[in-house]
Amino acid sequence: MKNPRSYDKSEKAAQFTAAMRPFVNQNGMRWAGKCEVFRTDTMETLATCSPNYQIVQHSEVLERAETALKGLGLKDWNREVIVFDNGGEMRAKYRLHNGKTKKDVAVGDALGFTLELDNGLNGRSTLLAKGGIEALVCSNGMTSVRDATTGFNRKHNGLLSLDAFKKSITELLNVYSKDVLELQRLTKMEFNHADGLNMIDHLIAEVLKTTKNDSIELVGLYNDPDSGLHPEYRGQKIHGEAGGQRNAWHVYSACTAFLRNVENDRGAFDIVRTKRKALAGVFGGIASGKRELKPLLVPRADSVLDTI
């Protein structure tokens, strides 16, 4: 997988102020109709823009999101903030897994809701809110299998109102509840262990496109389901056992466990985000009946697994 961008996960990484100034070229001449966004602490230029561009401070996004969460009665969360390109882009994730946000996909296998916020000062990202899912027994992250339309998806310039944040979070929570119902269907789609390996073979070739070593790691997570779980959940066959009856949720869990490791160990946030979205499309399609499962259980003629 591609080398990741530089990033900063420190608590103060997003706590700076950005401002605009006229764009000046290397000869010291100003360009009419062109400005640049810069950090006021380091004076570093982050991007060029038009004079009409409205800066949305990273700190403002976090403050408004947290005010909205509290206003909705969601006061218990874990926050993670990652800043890329010296502050040019921010991604924040709020993990909620108590009360109405905690739901079971199967007995003993609980899920939590994640609120993901993007904000950009360098043109790579706009202000955006998305919903996600986290499996609590293993901290595997997943993208919503359904598309949600919120105030963040409509054209906007500048920071959205508190009311827009609250309405958007409410809509994302509603979609999350529907996502869980879809994922529950995956637990009912059973097959033998070898068929699950065939499915992984298809996913490696068609979706994940992993290296040989990464493919070995993914197969290992499927063959030893406990290896992807937190220690306190091992030995309970929560994600099945090697050689036993398996299901589509077990395969999905092995794939998301692999991507979790790639993200945590290598900091490859961009490629993991892309692959999670692609997997959500596959498994969401299977759960909804829009995509057939059977073809994925058939051995591939040019099997990737034969080479590892």
Side-chain angles (χ1 to χ4, degrees):
M1 292 188 174
K2 296 179 182 178
N3 293 327
R5 288 188 285 159
S6 62
Y7 64 92
D8 188 347
K9 297 177 71 174
S10 64
E11 186 66 25
K12 295 182 179 180
Q15 301 300 318
F16 65 88
T17 300
M20 288 170 55
R21 61 191 174 196
F23 177 80
V24 179
N25 66 17
Q26 292 180 337
N27 297 321
M29 298 180 61
R30 291 188 180 187
W31 283 24
K34 195 171 185 180
C35 295
E36 57 185 21
V37 179
F38 72 101
R39 294 181 58 138
T40 59
D41 55 350
T42 64
M43 306 304 290
E44 176 186 0
T45 297
L46 299 175
T48 57
C49 62
S50 77
N52 296 325
Y53 178 72
Q54 292 187 37
I55 291 175
V56 178
Q57 307 290 349
H58 298 327
S59 57
E60 291 178 323
V61 175
L62 299 176
E63 180 181 351
R64 187 145 298 180
E66 292 171 15
T67 300
L69 288 168
K70 291 175 183 177
L72 293 170
L74 303 169
K75 301 178 181 180
D76 188 10
W77 64 73
N78 294 319
R79 188 185 82 178
E80 177 185 73
V81 178
I82 306 172
V83 170
F84 299 89
D85 302 332
N86 295 327
E89 181 183 354
M90 179 195 73
R91 295 179 189 173
K93 183 178 291 186
Y94 291 85
R95 296 181 171 90
L96 301 97
H97 44 72
N98 291 303
K100 63 182 180 182
T101 61
K102 184 177 180 180
K103 299 179 183 294
D104 287 343
V105 67
V107 176
D109 198 353
L111 304 176
F113 170 73
T114 59
L115 171 64
E116 301 178 15
L117 296 165
D118 292 359
N119 189 51
L121 299 168
N122 60 1
R124 287 189 63 120
S125 175
T126 186
L127 176 60
L128 183 65
K130 295 175 289 186
I133 306 160
E134 184 172 73
L136 304 185
V137 299
C138 51
S139 297
N140 294 356
M142 287 160 275
T143 300
S144 173
V145 300
R146 292 168 171 265
D147 291 327
T149 300
T150 71
F152 289 85
N153 300 99
R154 292 183 279 275
K155 186 175 181 180
H156 57 273
N157 189 13
L159 185 64
L160 271 68
S161 68
L162 177 60
D163 185 58
F165 266 76
K166 292 171 71 173
K167 287 181 179 178
S168 296
I169 293 171
T170 299
E171 177 58 27
L172 293 173
L173 282 167
N174 290 336
V175 171
Y176 163 67
S177 296
K178 296 175 183 177
D179 280 341
V180 174
L181 295 177
E182 297 280 85
L183 297 177
Q184 288 172 347
R185 295 190 183 102
L186 296 178
T187 69
K188 310 298 182 185
M189 299 178 180
E190 297 184 330
F191 38 76
N192 62 47
H193 185 84
D195 286 342
L197 285 172
N198 291 334
M199 188 175 184
I200 287 176
D201 195 8
H202 282 278
L203 293 170
I204 287 174
E206 301 164 18
V207 180
L208 296 171
K209 303 186 186 300
T210 49
T211 64
K212 180 177 180 179
N213 287 339
D214 284 346
S215 298
I216 291 172
E217 180 181 348
L218 172 53
V219 171
L221 286 163
Y222 176 72
N223 285 336
D224 182 10
D226 274 3
S227 65
L229 303 181
H230 294 310
E232 63 268 30
Y233 295 106
R234 295 174 184 171
Q236 303 175 44
K237 301 180 182 179
I238 292 175
H239 286 169
E241 60 180 333
Q245 192 79 350
R246 309 302 297 274
N247 61 52
W249 173 247
H250 296 160
V251 174
Y252 195 15
S253 295
C255 292
T256 54
F258 164 70
L259 292 179
R260 174 204 64 202
N261 292 347
V262 171
E263 185 174 72
N264 291 342
D265 298 342
R266 308 177 204 174
F269 300 99
D270 291 330
I271 190 65
V272 167
R273 172 177 277 197
T274 299
K275 298 300 183 184
R276 278 180 177 153
K277 180 69 174 176
L279 284 173
V282 172
F283 285 93
I286 292 170
S288 66
K290 295 178 181 178
R291 177 165 182 166
E292 287 190 52
L293 173 62
K294 286 185 178 180
L296 296 175
L297 304 180
V298 176
R300 294 180 65 250
D302 52 345
S303 173
V304 175
L305 301 187
D306 288 342
T307 66
I308 64 176

